[in-house]
Amino acid sequence: QVQLVESGGGLVQAGGSLRLSCAASGRTFSISDMGWFRQAPGKEREFVTAINWRGGRTYYADSVKGRFTISRDNAKNTVYLQMNSLKPEDTAVYYCAARRMSYSDYTLKYDYWGQGTQVTVSS
């Protein structure tokens, strides 16, 4: 099993920045990819970004390209999400996720999920 704990959410004005962290524990050697998803009120959960744990290759949803950056610190078993130029439509609960197998589609088949952290962007 892998446990994921997010931190770093909060309230920020439009145009501002936040950095989320996700600390993994447990059988972290089994992780292939880690990702961030978000869910806004009344909407389905959507993919934001993902990173290959070993190679560091990254993938982004079109809506966040150029504004968000995912990175990892393997020594700390932690993945980060740097969010810049935030917009009110970025308001959501952000979830960290991890999966054991790597697939070409980085939006699917995550095995482990964190509890989520709220990000609110005011206009």
Side-chain angles (χ1 to χ4, degrees):
Q1 288 286 352
V2 172
Q3 294 79 42
L4 303 173
V5 178
E6 303 101 332
S7 61
L11 173 65
V12 64
Q13 288 189 331
S17 299
L18 278 176
R19 189 176 83 153
L20 306 183
S21 300
C22 175
S25 61
R27 299 172 63 89
T28 57
F29 60 86
S30 68
I31 295 174
S32 177
D33 305 309
M34 292 190 70
W36 288 94
F37 292 74
R38 66 186 182 186
Q39 187 167 20
K43 295 187 177 181
E44 293 187 353
R45 186 173 61 196
E46 65 174 356
F47 171 80
V48 176
T49 180
I51 188 167
N52 177 259
W53 193 243
R54 294 174 180 80
R57 191 171 183 178
T58 58
Y59 301 84
Y60 295 92
D62 288 343
S63 58
V64 304
K65 279 182 181 177
R67 300 189 299 122
F68 291 11
T69 302
I70 189 171
S71 61
R72 76 202 194 288
D73 185 331
N74 295 67
K76 295 182 178 180
N77 290 323
T78 299
V79 65
Y80 304 97
L81 179 61
Q82 178 66 43
M83 304 185 294
N84 299 327
S85 302
L86 282 161
K87 305 175 181 179
E89 51 263 44
D90 294 318
T91 295
V93 177
Y94 283 71
Y95 297 92
C96 175
R99 64 186 188 184
R100 298 187 300 268
M101 294 292 292
S102 190
Y103 303 95
S104 58
D105 188 337
Y106 275 75
T107 69
L108 302 174
K109 299 184 179 180
Y110 284 80
D111 304 295
Y112 308 106
W113 294 85
Q115 81 288 352
T117 185
Q118 177 71 47
V119 171
T120 303
V121 184
S122 63
S123 57

